[in-house]
Amino acid sequence: MKSEDAATTAKVLIEALPYIQKFAGQTVVIKYGGNAMVDEVLKSSFARDVVLLKHVGINPVIVHGGGPQITELLEKTGKASKFVEGQRITDRETMDIVEMVLGGLVNKEIVQLINQHGGRAMGITGKDGRLIRAKKLTLKRKASETTETIDLGHTGEVVSIDPTLLNHLKGDDFIPVIAPTGSDKDGQTLNINADSVAGKVAAALHAEKLILLTNTEGVQKDGQLLARLASREIESLIAEGVIRDGMRPKAMCAWDALASGVKTVHIIDGRIQHAVLLELFTSEGIGTLLYS
């Protein structure tokens, strides 16, 4: 190694040291989705980041999505995907595919990648150990002078999180990898938004940080990245139309997590290799840090 390369490497390690010391023993919940889940290089990069976190004493908990994979498999079966306000309408047939993709194909691939890079990952769904208690989600939308109620089928929202299983896995040095499905009081399986699950899990575990991987730099205004954002600013940015579309549910998830005691939330660009490490262990970071 050339001397200048060695010096750069040493500088990076020294910069990371105080952050490693600060967060050792803390829990970090990471919502894994977007391009980071479909690009082979990024998938490997993410798995190595997670393993490194565990080896330096930080406890990562992964909640993953799988929307593109679900849509792709539905198309192969000749079934169209339908969404209302960003929520998938999940009928019985779609729910069967959601369970197969999230709890099977996607979850097991993430577990395998982490294990290949030296970690000890354990794949679970929200139904395991009664982790996620959910209820059916219905949307109400104003139409002229009336309010329309929209039935989303087997789409749900989190009622409560029982962290018992996650705490056992953490105590045994496993890395939990959670598929965002849960059960209602009657045992019916429901498909739940992964951002929402990640926020609720972070709150239940009293996490130091919640990290949301996206396909954008973070929250932007007039084309400029907002590197730091107080939770009190979220509502006004939504009203201004600055936070909209796919960023809106992420921002609301962040607001809810912060209000529930999570120290900080990070919305970062999962298209960048080692995005998690760059955000956690460098002074500048790469995305938007949200705080109370």
Side-chain angles (χ1 to χ4, degrees), residues 140-166:
K140 294 187 181 298
R141 185 169 60 181
K142 287 188 176 181
S144 300
E145 297 180 356
T146 62
T147 299
E148 176 187 12
T149 300
I150 302 169
D151 187 348
L152 297 172
H154 293 263
T155 297
E157 60 181 325
V158 176
V159 173
S160 62
I161 300 289
D162 182 346
T164 304
L165 176 58
L166 298 179

mmCIF file of all heavy atoms in Angstrom, residues 140-166:
data_model
loop_
_atom_site.group_PDB
_atom_site.id
_atom_site.type_symbol
_atom_site.label_atom_id
_atom_site.label_comp_id
_atom_site.label_asym_id
_atom_site.label_seq_id
_atom_site.Cartn_x
_atom_site.Cartn_y
_atom_site.Cartn_z
ATOM 1 N N LYS A 140 -59.580 6.996 4.499
ATOM 2 C CA LYS A 140 -60.739 7.863 4.279
ATOM 3 C C LYS A 140 -60.281 9.038 3.423
ATOM 4 O O LYS A 140 -59.305 9.705 3.730
ATOM 5 C CB LYS A 140 -61.317 8.344 5.610
ATOM 6 C CG LYS A 140 -61.907 7.220 6.452
ATOM 7 C CD LYS A 140 -62.610 7.754 7.682
ATOM 8 C CE LYS A 140 -63.184 6.632 8.529
ATOM 9 N NZ LYS A 140 -64.194 5.838 7.819
ATOM 10 N N ARG A 141 -60.994 9.235 2.319
ATOM 11 C CA ARG A 141 -60.596 10.269 1.367
ATOM 12 C C ARG A 141 -61.805 11.135 1.033
ATOM 13 O O ARG A 141 -62.888 10.624 0.753
ATOM 14 C CB ARG A 141 -60.038 9.609 0.104
ATOM 15 C CG ARG A 141 -59.482 10.577 -0.910
ATOM 16 C CD ARG A 141 -58.705 9.832 -1.990
ATOM 17 N NE ARG A 141 -59.542 8.884 -2.707
ATOM 18 C CZ ARG A 141 -59.092 8.096 -3.688
ATOM 19 N NH1 ARG A 141 -57.821 8.128 -4.025
ATOM 20 N NH2 ARG A 141 -59.908 7.278 -4.308
ATOM 21 N N LYS A 142 -61.605 12.446 1.072
ATOM 22 C CA LYS A 142 -62.706 13.358 0.771
ATOM 23 C C LYS A 142 -62.999 13.358 -0.723
ATOM 24 O O LYS A 142 -62.099 13.485 -1.544
ATOM 25 C CB LYS A 142 -62.369 14.774 1.243
ATOM 26 C CG LYS A 142 -62.419 14.939 2.758
ATOM 27 C CD LYS A 142 -62.280 16.393 3.165
ATOM 28 C CE LYS A 142 -62.432 16.534 4.683
ATOM 29 N NZ LYS A 142 -62.314 17.956 5.103
ATOM 30 N N ALA A 143 -64.270 13.203 -1.039
ATOM 31 C CA ALA A 143 -64.716 13.253 -2.429
ATOM 32 C C ALA A 143 -65.895 14.217 -2.500
ATOM 33 O O ALA A 143 -66.983 13.921 -1.999
ATOM 34 C CB ALA A 143 -65.135 11.868 -2.916
ATOM 35 N N SER A 144 -65.643 15.381 -3.079
ATOM 36 C CA SER A 144 -66.640 16.458 -3.119
ATOM 37 C C SER A 144 -67.034 16.813 -1.687
ATOM 38 O O SER A 144 -66.195 17.190 -0.887
ATOM 39 C CB SER A 144 -67.858 16.039 -3.945
ATOM 40 O OG SER A 144 -67.459 15.755 -5.267
ATOM 41 N N GLU A 145 -68.311 16.609 -1.348
ATOM 42 C CA GLU A 145 -68.753 16.974 -0.006
ATOM 43 C C GLU A 145 -68.911 15.760 0.899
ATOM 44 O O GLU A 145 -69.413 15.863 2.015
ATOM 45 C CB GLU A 145 -70.090 17.721 -0.110
ATOM 46 C CG GLU A 145 -69.973 19.045 -0.875
ATOM 47 C CD GLU A 145 -71.307 19.747 -0.954
ATOM 48 O OE1 GLU A 145 -72.309 19.177 -0.482
ATOM 49 O OE2 GLU A 145 -71.343 20.877 -1.487
ATOM 50 N N THR A 146 -68.481 14.598 0.412
ATOM 51 C CA THR A 146 -68.597 13.374 1.207
ATOM 52 C C THR A 146 -67.217 12.810 1.499
ATOM 53 O O THR A 146 -66.221 13.226 0.931
ATOM 54 C CB THR A 146 -69.426 12.317 0.455
ATOM 55 O OG1 THR A 146 -68.747 11.970 -0.763
ATOM 56 C CG2 THR A 146 -70.806 12.852 0.122
ATOM 57 N N THR A 147 -67.177 11.844 2.411
ATOM 58 C CA THR A 147 -65.928 11.158 2.739
ATOM 59 C C THR A 147 -66.027 9.721 2.264
ATOM 60 O O THR A 147 -66.945 8.989 2.630
ATOM 61 C CB THR A 147 -65.663 11.182 4.256
ATOM 62 O OG1 THR A 147 -65.559 12.538 4.687
ATOM 63 C CG2 THR A 147 -64.365 10.456 4.578
ATOM 64 N N GLU A 148 -65.079 9.332 1.430
ATOM 65 C CA GLU A 148 -65.059 7.994 0.853
ATOM 66 C C GLU A 148 -64.156 7.088 1.688
ATOM 67 O O GLU A 148 -63.032 7.450 2.029
ATOM 68 C CB GLU A 148 -64.521 8.068 -0.581
ATOM 69 C CG GLU A 148 -64.365 6.735 -1.265
ATOM 70 C CD GLU A 148 -63.662 6.863 -2.616
ATOM 71 O OE1 GLU A 148 -63.099 7.949 -2.900
ATOM 72 O OE2 GLU A 148 -63.663 5.873 -3.370
ATOM 73 N N THR A 149 -64.654 5.906 2.054
ATOM 74 C CA THR A 149 -63.862 4.913 2.776
ATOM 75 C C THR A 149 -63.336 3.890 1.792
ATOM 76 O O THR A 149 -64.102 3.293 1.030
ATOM 77 C CB THR A 149 -64.699 4.210 3.852
ATOM 78 O OG1 THR A 149 -65.169 5.190 4.792
ATOM 79 C CG2 THR A 149 -63.861 3.172 4.595
ATOM 80 N N ILE A 150 -62.020 3.691 1.794
ATOM 81 C CA ILE A 150 -61.373 2.802 0.831
ATOM 82 C C ILE A 150 -60.911 1.538 1.539
ATOM 83 O O ILE A 150 -60.161 1.602 2.512
ATOM 84 C CB ILE A 150 -60.184 3.502 0.151
ATOM 85 C CG1 ILE A 150 -60.647 4.777 -0.549
ATOM 86 C CG2 ILE A 150 -59.501 2.567 -0.850
ATOM 87 C CD1 ILE A 150 -59.513 5.656 -1.025
ATOM 88 N N ASP A 151 -61.379 0.395 1.051
ATOM 89 C CA ASP A 151 -60.978 -0.897 1.616
ATOM 90 C C ASP A 151 -59.702 -1.356 0.929
ATOM 91 O O ASP A 151 -59.678 -1.570 -0.282
ATOM 92 C CB ASP A 151 -62.096 -1.916 1.393
ATOM 93 C CG ASP A 151 -61.827 -3.244 2.103
ATOM 94 O OD1 ASP A 151 -60.690 -3.443 2.574
ATOM 95 O OD2 ASP A 151 -62.743 -4.071 2.178
ATOM 96 N N LEU A 152 -58.627 -1.517 1.704
ATOM 97 C CA LEU A 152 -57.333 -1.924 1.156
ATOM 98 C C LEU A 152 -57.095 -3.426 1.281
ATOM 99 O O LEU A 152 -55.984 -3.900 1.046
ATOM 100 C CB LEU A 152 -56.202 -1.167 1.864
ATOM 101 C CG LEU A 152 -56.215 0.356 1.684
ATOM 102 C CD1 LEU A 152 -55.171 0.991 2.589
ATOM 103 C CD2 LEU A 152 -55.967 0.749 0.243
ATOM 104 N N GLY A 153 -58.126 -4.165 1.659
ATOM 105 C CA GLY A 153 -57.979 -5.614 1.748
ATOM 106 C C GLY A 153 -57.114 -6.029 2.921
ATOM 107 O O GLY A 153 -57.325 -5.609 4.062
ATOM 108 N N HIS A 154 -56.092 -6.829 2.632
ATOM 109 C CA HIS A 154 -55.215 -7.355 3.680
ATOM 110 C C HIS A 154 -54.010 -6.437 3.930
ATOM 111 O O HIS A 154 -52.929 -6.906 4.267
ATOM 112 C CB HIS A 154 -54.727 -8.754 3.297
ATOM 113 C CG HIS A 154 -55.814 -9.777 3.275
ATOM 114 N ND1 HIS A 154 -56.062 -10.628 4.327
ATOM 115 C CD2 HIS A 154 -56.739 -10.067 2.329
ATOM 116 C CE1 HIS A 154 -57.083 -11.414 4.021
ATOM 117 N NE2 HIS A 154 -57.514 -11.093 2.821
ATOM 118 N N THR A 155 -54.216 -5.138 3.795
ATOM 119 C CA THR A 155 -53.190 -4.162 4.139
ATOM 120 C C THR A 155 -53.457 -3.677 5.563
ATOM 121 O O THR A 155 -54.592 -3.365 5.915
ATOM 122 C CB THR A 155 -53.212 -2.972 3.164
ATOM 123 O OG1 THR A 155 -52.904 -3.440 1.852
ATOM 124 C CG2 THR A 155 -52.193 -1.912 3.572
ATOM 125 N N GLY A 156 -52.395 -3.641 6.373
ATOM 126 C CA GLY A 156 -52.598 -3.317 7.773
ATOM 127 C C GLY A 156 -51.718 -2.205 8.290
ATOM 128 O O GLY A 156 -50.893 -1.644 7.557
ATOM 129 N N GLU A 157 -51.902 -1.888 9.556
ATOM 130 C CA GLU A 157 -51.053 -0.929 10.260
ATOM 131 C C GLU A 157 -50.723 -1.504 11.627
ATOM 132 O O GLU A 157 -51.454 -2.344 12.166
ATOM 133 C CB GLU A 157 -51.740 0.422 10.385
ATOM 134 C CG GLU A 157 -53.054 0.398 11.142
ATOM 135 C CD GLU A 157 -53.700 1.772 11.201
ATOM 136 O OE1 GLU A 157 -52.961 2.770 11.285
ATOM 137 O OE2 GLU A 157 -54.944 1.842 11.175
ATOM 138 N N VAL A 158 -49.615 -1.041 12.184
ATOM 139 C CA VAL A 158 -49.132 -1.581 13.464
ATOM 140 C C VAL A 158 -50.000 -1.093 14.615
ATOM 141 O O VAL A 158 -50.270 0.098 14.742
ATOM 142 C CB VAL A 158 -47.664 -1.175 13.702
ATOM 143 C CG1 VAL A 158 -47.198 -1.655 15.073
ATOM 144 C CG2 VAL A 158 -46.766 -1.730 12.607
ATOM 145 N N VAL A 159 -50.422 -2.025 15.458
ATOM 146 C CA VAL A 159 -51.101 -1.691 16.710
ATOM 147 C C VAL A 159 -50.084 -1.671 17.842
ATOM 148 O O VAL A 159 -50.056 -0.748 18.658
ATOM 149 C CB VAL A 159 -52.216 -2.712 17.014
ATOM 150 C CG1 VAL A 159 -52.808 -2.459 18.407
ATOM 151 C CG2 VAL A 159 -53.301 -2.645 15.952
ATOM 152 N N SER A 160 -49.231 -2.707 17.898
ATOM 153 C CA SER A 160 -48.225 -2.776 18.953
ATOM 154 C C SER A 160 -47.076 -3.688 18.522
ATOM 155 O O SER A 160 -47.222 -4.510 17.617
ATOM 156 C CB SER A 160 -48.834 -3.309 20.257
ATOM 157 O OG SER A 160 -49.325 -4.624 20.081
ATOM 158 N N ILE A 161 -45.948 -3.500 19.163
ATOM 159 C CA ILE A 161 -44.750 -4.324 18.943
ATOM 160 C C ILE A 161 -44.380 -4.995 20.262
ATOM 161 O O ILE A 161 -44.277 -4.327 21.294
ATOM 162 C CB ILE A 161 -43.549 -3.464 18.472
ATOM 163 C CG1 ILE A 161 -43.862 -2.739 17.164
ATOM 164 C CG2 ILE A 161 -42.291 -4.332 18.335
ATOM 165 C CD1 ILE A 161 -43.936 -3.613 15.941
ATOM 166 N N ASP A 162 -44.183 -6.314 20.220
ATOM 167 C CA ASP A 162 -43.666 -7.036 21.385
ATOM 168 C C ASP A 162 -42.202 -7.361 21.093
ATOM 169 O O ASP A 162 -41.900 -8.240 20.287
ATOM 170 C CB ASP A 162 -44.452 -8.331 21.602
ATOM 171 C CG ASP A 162 -43.978 -9.100 22.841
ATOM 172 O OD1 ASP A 162 -42.891 -8.785 23.362
ATOM 173 O OD2 ASP A 162 -44.693 -10.011 23.279
ATOM 174 N N PRO A 163 -41.264 -6.658 21.735
ATOM 175 C CA PRO A 163 -39.847 -6.810 21.398
ATOM 176 C C PRO A 163 -39.158 -8.012 22.041
ATOM 177 O O PRO A 163 -37.943 -8.164 21.919
ATOM 178 C CB PRO A 163 -39.242 -5.511 21.917
ATOM 179 C CG PRO A 163 -40.073 -5.170 23.108
ATOM 180 C CD PRO A 163 -41.476 -5.626 22.775
ATOM 181 N N THR A 164 -39.926 -8.883 22.707
ATOM 182 C CA THR A 164 -39.314 -9.993 23.449
ATOM 183 C C THR A 164 -38.401 -10.827 22.571
ATOM 184 O O THR A 164 -37.244 -11.116 22.936
ATOM 185 C CB THR A 164 -40.402 -10.897 24.064
ATOM 186 O OG1 THR A 164 -41.265 -10.115 24.893
ATOM 187 C CG2 THR A 164 -39.765 -11.998 24.899
ATOM 188 N N LEU A 165 -38.892 -11.256 21.408
ATOM 189 C CA LEU A 165 -38.097 -12.085 20.506
ATOM 190 C C LEU A 165 -36.852 -11.344 20.035
ATOM 191 O O LEU A 165 -35.748 -11.921 19.997
ATOM 192 C CB LEU A 165 -38.940 -12.518 19.304
ATOM 193 C CG LEU A 165 -38.218 -13.317 18.213
ATOM 194 C CD1 LEU A 165 -37.607 -14.589 18.780
ATOM 195 C CD2 LEU A 165 -39.174 -13.634 17.062
ATOM 196 N N LEU A 166 -36.996 -10.067 19.695
ATOM 197 C CA LEU A 166 -35.851 -9.285 19.226
ATOM 198 C C LEU A 166 -34.792 -9.150 20.313
ATOM 199 O O LEU A 166 -33.590 -9.222 20.034
ATOM 200 C CB LEU A 166 -36.309 -7.895 18.761
ATOM 201 C CG LEU A 166 -37.292 -7.863 17.591
ATOM 202 C CD1 LEU A 166 -37.682 -6.424 17.267
ATOM 203 C CD2 LEU A 166 -36.689 -8.538 16.366
#
